[in-house]
């Protein structure tokens, strides 16, 4: 198994990646020159602070997976907070990426074995059940 796959399997990779992408997308939409931009707080500070914290939470989930529960709950709350402070959560895209990524990170189990491929599903066969009557 290559080194990156081992590293990825030992942490909630997709959850952290989606949360990081959501924060980055919201930060990018803050620079949009549209009249829809909503600023709350001191010169729109909250509009930049929440997505930056989302980005940091996503990176911390990737590089410190032992604290994933705290970071994922914080990520959901920060993502939902961007609805008011950051162009409706980056025009819904960053908001959805952040919420889905945080939920994936929250639900990740470190002790679970990787799933085996279901080759019987592709061939149209049914698996042998141990409790067939």
């Amino acid at each position: 198994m290559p080194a990156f796959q081992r590293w990825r399997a030992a942490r909630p990779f997709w959850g952290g990646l989606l949360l990081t992408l959501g924060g980055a997308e919201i930060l990018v939409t803050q620079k949009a020159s549209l009249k829809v931009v909503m600023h709350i707080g001191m010169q729109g500070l909250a509009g930049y602070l929440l997505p930056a914290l989302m980005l940091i939470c996503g990176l911390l989930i990737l590089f410190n997976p032992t604290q994933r529960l705290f970071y994922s709950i914080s990520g959901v709350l920060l993502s939902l907070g961007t609805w008011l402070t950051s162009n409706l959560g980056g025009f819904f895209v960053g908001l959805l990426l952040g919420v889905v990524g945080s939920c994936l990170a929250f639900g990740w189990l470190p002790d679970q074995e990787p799933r085996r491929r279901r080759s019987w599903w592709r061939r149209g066969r049914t698996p042998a059940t141990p409790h067939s009557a």
Side-chain angles (χ1 to χ4, degrees), residues 76-126:
V76 163
L77 295 176
L78 290 167
S79 297
L80 293 175
T82 62
W83 173 264
L84 297 175
T85 62
S86 304
N87 299 332
L88 299 174
F91 304 111
F92 302 111
V93 176
L95 175 89
L96 289 175
L97 283 172
V99 169
V100 169
S102 295
C103 291
L104 284 173
F106 187 82
W108 179 75
L109 296 173
D111 301 337
Q112 192 174 21
E113 290 287 325
R115 288 188 177 186
R116 294 183 187 168
R117 294 186 183 213
R118 297 183 185 180
S119 59
W120 56 267
W121 184 265
R122 291 185 211 142
R123 287 182 280 200
R125 291 191 218 162
T126 58

Side-chain angles (χ1 to χ4, degrees), residues 4-73:
F4 178 71
Q5 286 181 346
R6 279 194 308 272
W7 180 81
R8 192 180 73 185
R11 60 201 68 246
F13 178 75
W14 292 111
L17 183 67
L18 288 178
L19 182 57
T20 303
L21 289 175
E25 193 273 336
I26 294 172
L27 280 173
V28 168
T29 60
Q30 284 294 324
K31 295 294 183 184
S33 62
L34 300 173
K35 302 297 180 195
V36 183
V37 176
M38 200 160 78
H39 292 289
I40 294 177
M42 202 169 124
Q43 299 296 333
L45 179 65
Y48 292 102
L49 185 64
L50 293 180
L53 289 173
M54 280 175 62
L55 191 115
I56 290 170
C57 281
L59 290 174
L60 286 171
I61 285 172
L62 287 174
F63 295 109
N64 187 13
T66 56
Q67 299 294 325
R68 74 185 187 288
L69 296 177
F70 174 74
Y71 298 140
S72 62
I73 291 172

